[in-house]
Amino acid sequence: MGRIDLDFSIIGRRCERAVVTAYRELRETGNDDLSSFRACTTLYRVHHPEASVQEARRLVAEWIDHHVVRGDNGPTDGCDCD
């Protein structure tokens, strides 16, 4: 997977920025998609322990698809944190 250069300063939520950054770095260092996704789901739940596993998986999948797969720089739906 090639590196997609994005300006991560446009990602307003700290948890979203952490998830996207971690996913990209895990993939770049040779981790497979599923283990990277699982690690990022765990990371999201560290930021949001109140979130269910299903909610975390849904948001992480949306953010990865939005920022990494599609390379979209626009805002995303998600949690209400900063």
Side-chain angles (χ1 to χ4, degrees):
M1 170 182 231
R3 181 173 177 95
I4 300 172
D5 291 319
L6 297 176
D7 179 7
F8 283 102
S9 64
I10 63 167
I11 301 176
R13 293 180 201 96
R14 288 182 306 201
C15 56
E16 183 176 356
R17 188 170 43 250
V19 162
V20 172
T21 300
Y23 180 82
R24 291 178 71 228
E25 290 179 1
L26 287 164
R27 294 293 287 148
E28 288 173 1
T29 57
N31 292 283
D32 65 81
D33 181 59
L34 185 56
S35 65
S36 299
F37 175 78
R38 286 179 177 156
C40 290
T41 300
T42 300
L43 177 60
Y44 176 82
R45 293 193 74 216
V46 167
H47 282 265
H48 292 282
E50 75 284 0
S52 69
V53 173
Q54 285 189 326
E55 178 185 5
R57 287 177 181 155
R58 180 186 61 80
L59 282 174
V60 168
E62 286 179 13
W63 292 342
I64 290 169
D65 180 63
H66 182 84
H67 293 290
V68 179
V69 175
R70 292 184 293 150
D72 194 335
N73 292 330
T76 64
D77 293 331
C79 59
D80 295 328
C81 73
D82 294 331

